[in-house]
């Protein structure tokens, strides 16, 4: 006769409600059953001082080691007995093993990919800045503790103009941004919180609902659906959990009422989904840890398009709120425990087979290389941020784009990486060919062909394009190439012999990936795009219409690689490369825009566009020297002078060799000479800024790293610090 031991952190079975049900069902199934806690185990004589239910009461008995253990205690509370539990596991099979908290499960599903499209993007919030980026992208979000249970500690937060509405259960509180930051800081000091987009899963009457899918293994070791039932939140609440006032319904009447034409199909969909996800998580557990799992509860929402979204997956969920279902759960658990005790050899074979399948399933590694005259680093950062939502990626450091860097990357990439994202820089012919000989890309992006380094190519833009084309010739010739349809000079790229697929991005004309409805919003840009037959509104936390192209490059590659619109949207909330249109808020409402990494004519004009779009009063442009323009320097400086005049800049300051030509051209067009200044001495320029900068001014500092224009940003930040 099989003996089952129920392990629990509590010592007294009368305080564990389900212990009686397990004892009763075990007796009915002809199985010995006892209850015990870690402190009662004696490894010397292989006995346990357990509790047996006899004659209507629990009685202490010295029991031999059981054939199988059902682990029913809290993982957190059993953690202090980890040594005992691990030793028990080495000698006795366990029916159930922890699959981790909500965040761990999400990470497992993302990594395994198969069910990642059903996951709601989630971020661990480390500070208020991260929160505001997320809500700028999704507008309505859910904030909840990473280890929350029973629907406790969940907040629904939405933007309402300049204010924020925070709902807990059915109560709303309106906060200013400052008050919300204080609220968030208080929460973050209490523990770890995650944020997710809010999924609209509501009944016809407007009540929030979700489904609980409860699945278990049976006496044959097969997954079965124990029950599926809807949970409906009280009116005004966003939490359907029963512990927060939610109530349940029977599945079929609910589906007939809410989805009369689709009721049968939805029921079949939910059954298939629950069993498939259980099988999938079981396979992951076997592959990673050599263990099996026996029971999970899956909470899902169903949006207005009848798409399933996984809210959370619970290991060893609570029993459904009906006694006959509670007995169904217990019957499956007891029968499966008996199966585990009698079929250890078969279970071990399944674990070995799962590990073998995992090794065979490895796919070809996507290697993405990005080049171009501008936008390499930002495109790379966007793409890496998206791919990292569910893959372990190798990403080159910002601005690490020389061939020497690529050699280092080749040594660092290993079998744990699921994608590689690199930028390939070049200043001379042959450089990109060398990059490709070190690491050959399977996917390539050419952001644009501009005047950066054109002085090294006899001032001929076609020769620059030819050098960029080395990426096209050096990549996998059956791979994917992304190019900018709006960039006039990209027509010189050598694509005629390329046998792979070419994808285009644009903001002005039809393309594979076109952004439209582009707007400046708080701390970034918003735009719309048609993606996977949906119109999606995207947000990027960086200023400038030119950065929309960089986002499109990332969207194109991520979409090709199978990422969902929701994953892409979440990934665009990226870690912005430093000194790329970084905004500093100073005293007297003075704003400083730092764009001091690279400088070329196209980039200067883009930075001026940002200045004119976010400037509140007077706009001051400080423009540094642009290098490697060769014989085109004078011509391009004049064009910048024209643009300064045309965009209505209020004060122009130039710094560095021959940059006075910019101011001279602006004056020739009609720019006020008294508002134009030129310096070759940075200290003198800083003295002028002390005198002329006024309340409400917006100041752009634009220059290449080699001109050390960041010194001016630091000066302004110090001098006008609040």
């Amino acid at each position: 006769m099989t003996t089952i031991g129920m392990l629990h952190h509590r010592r007294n079975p009368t305080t564990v409600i389900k212990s009686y049900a397990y004892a009763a069902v075990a007796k009915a199934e002809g199985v010995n059953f006892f209850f015990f806690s870690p402190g009662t185990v004696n490894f010397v004589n292989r006995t346990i001082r357990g509790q047996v239910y006899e004659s209507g009461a629990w009685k202490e008995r010295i029991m031999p080691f059981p054939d199988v253990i059902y682990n029913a205690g809290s993982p957190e509370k059993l953690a202090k007995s980890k040594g005992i539990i691990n030793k028990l596991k080495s000698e006795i099979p366990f029916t159930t093993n922890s699959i981790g908290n909500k965040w761990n499960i999400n990470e497992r599903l993302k990594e395994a990919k198969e069910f990642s499209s059903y996951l709601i993007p989630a971020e661990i919030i480390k500070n208020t800045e991260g929160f505001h980026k997320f809500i700028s992208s999704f507008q309505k979000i859910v904030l909840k503790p990473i280890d929350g249970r029973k629907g406790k500690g969940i907040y629904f937060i939405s933007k309402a103009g300049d204010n924020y509405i925070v709902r807990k259960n059915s109560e709303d509180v309106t906060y200013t941004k400052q008050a919300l930051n204080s609220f968030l800081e208080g929460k973050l000091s209490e523990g770890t919180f995650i944020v997710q987009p809010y999924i609209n899963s509501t009944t016809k009457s407007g009540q929030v609902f979700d489904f609980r899918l409860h699945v278990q293994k049976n006496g044959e070791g097969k997954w079965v659906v124990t029950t599926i039932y809807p949970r409906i939140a009280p009116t005004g609440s966003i939490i359907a959990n029963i512990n927060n006032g939610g109530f349940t319904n029977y599945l079929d009447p609910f589906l007939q009422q809410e989805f009369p034409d689709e009721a049968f199909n939805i029921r079949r969909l939910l059954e298939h989904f629950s069993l498939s996800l259980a099988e999938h998580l079981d396979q992951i557990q076997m592959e990673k840890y050599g263990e099996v799992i026996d029971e999970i509860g899956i909470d899902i929402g169903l949006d207005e398009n009848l798409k399933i979204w996984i809210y959370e997956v619970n290991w060893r969920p609570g029993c459904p709120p009906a006694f006959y279902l509670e007995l169904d759960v217990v019957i499956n658990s007891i029968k499966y425990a008996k199966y585990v005790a009698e079929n250890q050899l078969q279970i071990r074979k399944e674990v070995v087979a799962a590990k073998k399948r995992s090794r065979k399933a490895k796919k070809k590694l996507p290697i993405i290389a990005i080049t171009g005259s501008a936008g390499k680093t930002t495109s790379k950062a966007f793409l890496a941020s998206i791919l990292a939502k569910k893959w372990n990626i190798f990403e080159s450091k910002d601005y690490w784009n020389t061939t020497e860097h690529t050699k280092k990357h080749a040594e660092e990439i290993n079998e744990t990486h699921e994608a590689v994202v690199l930028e390939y820089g070049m200043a001379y012919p042959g450089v990109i060919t060398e990059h490709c000989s070190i690491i050959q890309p399977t996917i390539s992006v050419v952001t644009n062909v501009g005047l950066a380094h054109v002085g090294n190519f006899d001032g001929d833009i076609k020769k620059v394009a030819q050098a960029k084309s080395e990426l096209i010739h050096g990549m996998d010739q059956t791979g994917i190439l992304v190019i900018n349809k709006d960039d006039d000079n990209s027509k010189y790229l050598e694509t005629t012999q390329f046998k792979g697929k070419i994808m285009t991005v644009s903001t002005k004309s039809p393309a594979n990936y076109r952004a439209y409805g582009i707007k400046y919003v708080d701390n970034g840009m918003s735009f719309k795009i048609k993606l996977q037959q949906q119109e999606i509104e995207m947000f990027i936390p960086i200023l400038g219409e030119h950065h929309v192209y960089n986002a499109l490059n990332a969207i194109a590659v991520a979409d090709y690689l199978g990422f969902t619109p929701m994953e892409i949207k979440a990934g665009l909330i990226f870690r912005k490369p430093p000194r790329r249109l970084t905004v500093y808020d100073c005293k007297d409402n003075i704003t400083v825009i730092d764009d001091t990494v690279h400088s070329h004519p196209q980039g200067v004009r883009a930075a001026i566009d940002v200045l004119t779009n976010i400037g509140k009063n007077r706009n001051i442009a400080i423009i540094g020297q642009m290098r490697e323009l060769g014989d085109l320097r004078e011509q391009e400086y004049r064009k910048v002078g024209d643009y300064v005049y045309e965009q209505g800049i209020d004060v122009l300051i130039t710094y560095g060799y021959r940059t006075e030509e910019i101011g001279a051209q602006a004056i020739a067009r009609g720019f006020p000479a008294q508002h134009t200044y030129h310096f070759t001495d940075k200290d003198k320029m800083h003295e002028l800024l002390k005198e002329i900068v006024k309340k409400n001014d917006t100041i752009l500092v634009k220059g290449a790293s080699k001109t050390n224009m960041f010194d001016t940003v630091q000066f302004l930040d110090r001098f006008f610090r609040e």
Side-chain angles (χ1 to χ4, degrees), residues 247-376:
F247 59 94
T248 64
N249 199 343
Y250 291 101
L251 180 63
D252 287 331
F254 178 81
L255 293 179
Q256 287 293 340
Q257 175 182 309
E258 298 297 330
F259 312 100
D261 298 330
E262 295 289 339
F264 176 78
N265 290 336
I266 292 174
R267 183 188 180 98
R268 294 295 300 273
L269 172 67
L270 296 178
E271 290 171 345
H272 175 74
F273 182 84
S274 59
L275 292 173
S276 298
L277 181 57
E279 290 274 8
H280 183 63
L281 284 168
D282 202 18
Q283 289 294 312
I284 293 172
Q285 191 81 6
M286 287 190 279
E287 291 167 14
K288 282 185 168 292
Y289 304 104
E291 300 173 340
V292 292
I293 56 176
D294 69 328
E295 180 182 14
I296 57 171
I298 310 156
D299 296 339
I300 66 159
L302 205 61
D303 69 17
E304 56 268 29
N305 299 313
L306 302 186
K307 174 168 177 11
I308 289 175
W309 293 100
I310 299 172
Y311 290 154
E312 59 189 48
V313 179
N314 298 284
W315 165 59
R316 210 186 54 229
C319 287
F323 187 73
Y324 77 94
L325 286 175
E326 181 175 325
L327 282 181
D328 285 349
V329 171
V330 177
I331 289 167
N332 280 329
S333 295
I334 293 293
K335 287 184 174 181
Y336 178 65
K338 189 176 178 183
Y339 171 84
V340 170
E342 296 171 355
N343 293 274
Q344 273 301 290
L345 182 60
Q346 176 62 28
I347 291 170
R348 282 196 287 270
K349 284 180 180 178
E350 290 174 7
V351 170
V352 170
K355 287 180 176 292
K356 285 181 179 177
R357 280 195 300 271
S358 175
R359 287 193 291 269
K360 287 180 181 177
K362 295 215 177 254
K363 296 181 180 178
K364 187 176 181 181
L365 182 71
I367 298 176
I368 305 111
I370 303 170
T371 195
S373 298
K376 292 186 294 296

Side-chain angles (χ1 to χ4, degrees), residues 457-515:
F457 294 88
D458 302 324
D460 187 345
I461 196 67
K462 293 181 181 178
K463 290 184 179 180
V464 176
Q466 187 178 40
K468 301 291 183 192
S469 298
E470 292 174 16
L471 181 61
I472 302 170
H473 302 318
M475 68 178 289
D476 179 347
Q477 291 301 289
T478 61
I480 301 296
L481 172 65
V482 179
I483 58 176
N484 185 339
K485 190 177 179 183
D486 296 341
D487 177 48
D488 287 339
N489 295 327
S490 287
K491 66 188 176 188
Y492 299 125
L493 292 170
E494 299 167 357
T495 60
T496 54
Q497 301 299 313
F498 181 65
K499 295 181 176 62
K501 182 178 180 181
I502 298 176
M503 301 192 300
T504 56
V505 301
S506 172
T507 67
K508 299 174 182 174
S509 59
N512 298 110
Y513 298 89
R514 183 188 178 191

Side-chain angles (χ1 to χ4, degrees), residues 169-455:
N169 298 328
S170 55
E171 296 180 6
D172 288 348
V173 179
T174 301
Y175 288 88
T176 63
K177 185 174 182 178
Q178 184 177 359
L180 180 70
N181 286 345
S182 296
F183 166 80
L184 292 171
E185 286 165 359
K187 289 295 163 191
L188 296 181
S189 68
E190 295 172 5
T192 303
F193 279 76
I194 61 175
V195 287
Q196 293 179 310
Y198 175 70
I199 301 299
N200 187 34
S201 182
T202 54
T203 66
K204 290 176 180 177
S205 62
Q207 288 175 279
V208 170
F209 77 92
D210 64 21
F211 292 106
R212 164 58 65 89
L213 318 176
H214 194 132
V215 286
Q216 292 177 277
K217 283 182 179 170
N218 64 10
E220 298 175 354
K222 306 295 184 186
W223 284 101
V224 293
V225 176
T226 306
T227 183
I228 298 175
Y229 57 94
R231 304 183 300 185
I232 300 98
T235 302
S237 175
I238 62 163
I239 309 298
N241 194 289
I242 296 160
N243 293 281
N244 282 271
F247 59 94
T248 64
N249 199 343
Y250 291 101
L251 180 63
D252 287 331
F254 178 81
L255 293 179
Q256 287 293 340
Q257 175 182 309
E258 298 297 330
F259 312 100
D261 298 330
E262 295 289 339
F264 176 78
N265 290 336
I266 292 174
R267 183 188 180 98
R268 294 295 300 273
L269 172 67
L270 296 178
E271 290 171 345
H272 175 74
F273 182 84
S274 59
L275 292 173
S276 298
L277 181 57
E279 290 274 8
H280 183 63
L281 284 168
D282 202 18
Q283 289 294 312
I284 293 172
Q285 191 81 6
M286 287 190 279
E287 291 167 14
K288 282 185 168 292
Y289 304 104
E291 300 173 340
V292 292
I293 56 176
D294 69 328
E295 180 182 14
I296 57 171
I298 310 156
D299 296 339
I300 66 159
L302 205 61
D303 69 17
E304 56 268 29
N305 299 313
L306 302 186
K307 174 168 177 11
I308 289 175
W309 293 100
I310 299 172
Y311 290 154
E312 59 189 48
V313 179
N314 298 284
W315 165 59
R316 210 186 54 229
C319 287
F323 187 73
Y324 77 94
L325 286 175
E326 181 175 325
L327 282 181
D328 285 349
V329 171
V330 177
I331 289 167
N332 280 329
S333 295
I334 293 293
K335 287 184 174 181
Y336 178 65
K338 189 176 178 183
Y339 171 84
V340 170
E342 296 171 355
N343 293 274
Q344 273 301 290
L345 182 60
Q346 176 62 28
I347 291 170
R348 282 196 287 270
K349 284 180 180 178
E350 290 174 7
V351 170
V352 170
K355 287 180 176 292
K356 285 181 179 177
R357 280 195 300 271
S358 175
R359 287 193 291 269
K360 287 180 181 177
K362 295 215 177 254
K363 296 181 180 178
K364 187 176 181 181
L365 182 71
I367 298 176
I368 305 111
I370 303 170
T371 195
S373 298
K376 292 186 294 296
T377 299
T378 309
S379 293
K380 181 216 65 169
F382 273 131
L383 180 57
S385 177
I386 297 170
L387 301 189
K389 290 296 163 193
K390 63 179 182 181
W391 291 355
N392 177 34
I393 67 160
F394 179 89
E395 175 192 5
S396 60
K397 293 179 183 177
D398 294 341
Y399 319 122
W400 276 45
N401 57 25
T402 69
T403 54
E404 289 305 309
H405 291 138
T406 302
K407 289 175 185 175
K408 290 181 181 178
H409 298 151
E411 295 173 356
E412 294 167 350
I413 297 166
N414 60 55
E415 63 181 10
T416 68
H417 295 122
E418 297 169 281
V420 175
V421 188
L422 309 169
E423 53 178 300
Y424 284 178
M426 74 92 202
Y428 298 94
V431 174
I432 293 181
T433 296
E434 185 178 354
H435 278 295
C436 293
S437 70
I438 302 164
I439 302 176
Q440 184 184 41
T442 60
I443 300 172
S444 295
V445 178
V446 182
T447 60
N448 47 48
V449 178
L451 297 176
H453 311 299
V454 72

Side-chain angles (χ1 to χ4, degrees), residues 679 682-692 715:
F679 293 94
K682 206 170 286 178
D683 291 335
K684 290 182 179 178
M685 181 171 70
H686 294 171
E687 288 301 316
L688 173 75
L689 290 170
K690 290 179 184 179
E691 297 175 14
I692 68 168
F715 162 75

